[in-house]
Amino acid sequence: VNQILLFLLVLTVCAILYNKVHQVPSALKNETVDLESPEEIEEEIPVVICAAAGRMGATVAAISSIYSNTEADVLFYIVGLKTTIPHIRKWIENSKLKEIKFKVVEFNPMVLKGKMRQDASRPELLQPLNFVRFYLPLLIQKHEKVIYLDDDIIVQGDIQELYDTKLAPGHAAAFSDDCDLPSTHEMVRSVGMQNTYMGFLDYRKQAIRDLGISPSTCSFNPGVIVANMTEWKHQRITKQLEKWMQRNVEENLYSSTLGGGVATSPMLIVFHGKYSTINPMWHIRHLGWSPDTRYSEHFLQEAKLLHWNGRYKPWDYPSVHTDLWENWFIPDPSGKFKLTRPDS
């Protein structure tokens, strides 16, 4: 027994001496790892934006505004149809945007077959690229967090700030509430725009009433999205959105004659009560709802992002606050895209 105890004591002493001898090198080694760790390496910010035929000047202006106002490492995913991709690629590569990091992604409109109800009142809302936001995880594979932007926007702030938007646990996306900015309420009333679910869903239909969503619930705008791809896939958001698209084909639950957004309505249903919010100044919208109603210049200068949602686009005429948009527009080297102005 004494021999065993002595042996264990010797082992203990040896272990203590070993730790003391190796303690300094070990600490130095850890410190070296910390110094070389990629903690300070900037995270790549993926921004998804569409390039639709006839609207590519919008895409270029949006990209130009983002790139010019940030030092962040931005990777642009430019989504287009097979017929439009060569044009937007040539535009970028033959302009001052040739320095940006970008990938061109082809969207196959066949995924929408049988999921869209034809609506003659605003056929432009049925363009396939309006539904790209439904399929983000299928188009963008390697990123945990993604920003989606409509093409009719310009960014005046640092896109890093938008990317840093916090999403609550269990939320797949963050949007801007349509009731979140008092400064815009007068604008909304003056152009007769709806900002509640009543303006987007047909509450005469039993399927809509069965959702249990009050018609006075504030809507949100999916023209600017900060999305968590892990949650999106886990909750099967794309499948849920497709389900409501198919139900609309069968039951006409919403249409462009209501809120003017056939891509908005399914998102309002699927994300009801399950989304985080974006800083209101990061989505000043309704600039395209009237050719006459204007915001104050001071207010617009303070805004981080401007959105010309509505019929009156800043590359067409008539429209408002076109000077702010034209600051970022880059002429088409091929000459195919031209601004529409009173003297043109």
Side-chain angles (χ1 to χ4, degrees):
V1 172
N2 290 336
Q3 288 179 339
I4 293 173
L5 290 175
L6 181 61
F7 177 71
L8 290 175
L9 178 62
V10 170
L11 280 179
T12 302
V13 171
C14 288
I16 292 172
L17 289 174
Y18 179 86
N19 285 336
K20 285 184 176 296
V21 169
H22 289 81
Q23 184 176 4
V24 173
S26 177
L28 288 175
K29 184 178 179 181
N30 288 338
E31 185 177 347
T32 303
V33 171
D34 288 341
L35 289 173
E36 295 178 350
S37 69
E39 291 290 329
E40 296 181 4
I41 297 176
E42 289 186 2
E43 185 175 0
E44 193 173 63
I45 298 177
V47 175
V48 180
I49 191 165
C50 295
R55 298 171 62 111
M56 290 192 195
T59 306
V60 168
I63 292 173
S64 173
S65 69
I66 296 166
Y67 180 66
S68 300
N69 287 306
T70 187
E71 296 294 327
D73 182 17
V74 181
L75 173 58
F76 293 97
Y77 284 88
I78 303 171
V79 186
L81 302 181
K82 187 175 183 179
T83 54
T84 62
I85 284 175
H87 187 188
I88 192 66
R89 184 185 294 277
K90 183 178 179 181
W91 196 332
I92 290 172
E93 292 177 347
N94 290 277
S95 72
K96 65 181 182 181
L97 292 180
K98 62 186 177 184
E99 301 298 328
I100 70 169
K101 291 171 59 177
F102 75 101
K103 293 182 179 179
V104 175
V105 181
E106 181 182 342
F107 182 69
N108 186 354
M110 289 304 295
V111 301
L112 302 173
K113 188 175 181 180
K115 301 182 183 74
M116 290 195 301
R117 186 183 186 89
Q118 295 303 313
D119 195 326
S121 61
R122 290 196 66 187
E124 74 274 12
L125 295 175
L126 297 177
Q127 295 301 315
L129 295 182
N130 283 338
F131 301 91
V132 162
R133 70 199 89 189
F134 289 15
Y135 297 94
L136 293 177
L138 301 181
L139 297 168
I140 314 302
Q141 300 291 335
K142 68 172 186 174
H143 300 282
E144 167 73 10
K145 197 175 186 181
V146 171
I147 294 174
Y148 167 87
L149 299 174
D150 277 353
D151 60 3
D152 51 355
I153 64 101
I154 61 165
V155 171
Q156 300 184 138
D158 186 341
I159 198 72
Q160 180 75 56
E161 186 180 329
L162 179 62
Y163 185 75
D164 290 340
T165 298
K166 300 296 183 185
L167 274 66
H171 286 177
F175 306 98
S176 296
D177 276 327
D178 283 329
C179 306
D180 62 6
L181 200 60
S183 303
T184 67
H185 293 175
E186 185 177 344
M187 166 79 80
V188 170
R189 285 192 296 270
S190 68
V191 299
M193 181 181 176
Q194 295 288 339
N195 62 357
T196 66
Y197 273 58
M198 175 66 84
F200 292 87
L201 306 178
D202 189 348
Y203 276 83
R204 295 171 299 179
K205 303 297 174 67
Q206 188 61 44
I208 298 300
R209 295 198 298 271
D210 288 345
L211 291 170
I213 302 173
S214 168
S216 62
T217 300
C218 186
S219 55
F220 59 79
N221 187 297
V224 177
I225 307 173
V226 181
N228 180 308
M229 294 293 93
T230 300
E231 280 295 335
W232 193 293
K233 288 182 281 191
H234 175 70
Q235 297 179 32
R236 298 171 63 85
I237 296 294
T238 297
K239 288 294 183 185
Q240 292 187 59
L241 292 167
E242 287 184 325
K243 181 191 80 171
W244 283 103
M245 291 175 74
Q246 289 169 332
R247 289 198 66 174
N248 183 56
V249 170
E250 299 162 3
E251 304 173 51
N252 195 22
L253 303 176
Y254 52 85
S255 75
S256 60
T257 57
L258 290 170
V262 289
T264 297
S265 300
M267 300 196 86
L268 290 177
I269 295 171
V270 171
F271 283 100
H272 173 252
K274 295 185 293 185
Y275 66 92
S276 299
T277 55
I278 291 171
N279 179 336
M281 296 305 287
W282 267 99
H283 196 176
I284 303 304
R285 46 207 181 275
H286 316 319
L287 276 74
W289 276 85
S290 168
D292 305 308
T293 308
R294 302 174 64 91
Y295 286 114
S296 76
E297 293 299 326
H298 175 73
F299 177 68
L300 293 181
Q301 287 170 7
E302 295 294 317
K304 305 286 189 177
L305 181 148
L306 303 178
H307 189 184
W308 278 263
N309 57 314
R311 295 176 184 266
Y312 303 98
K313 304 301 185 184
W315 56 90
D316 281 334
Y317 180 84
S319 56
V320 296
H321 302 297
T322 55
D323 55 325
L324 294 174
W325 183 85
E326 279 192 53
N327 284 339
W328 307 107
F329 175 67
I330 299 171
D332 183 359
S334 72
K336 294 177 183 177
F337 182 94
K338 294 182 173 65
L339 301 181
T340 303
R341 293 296 180 256
D343 54 351
S344 63

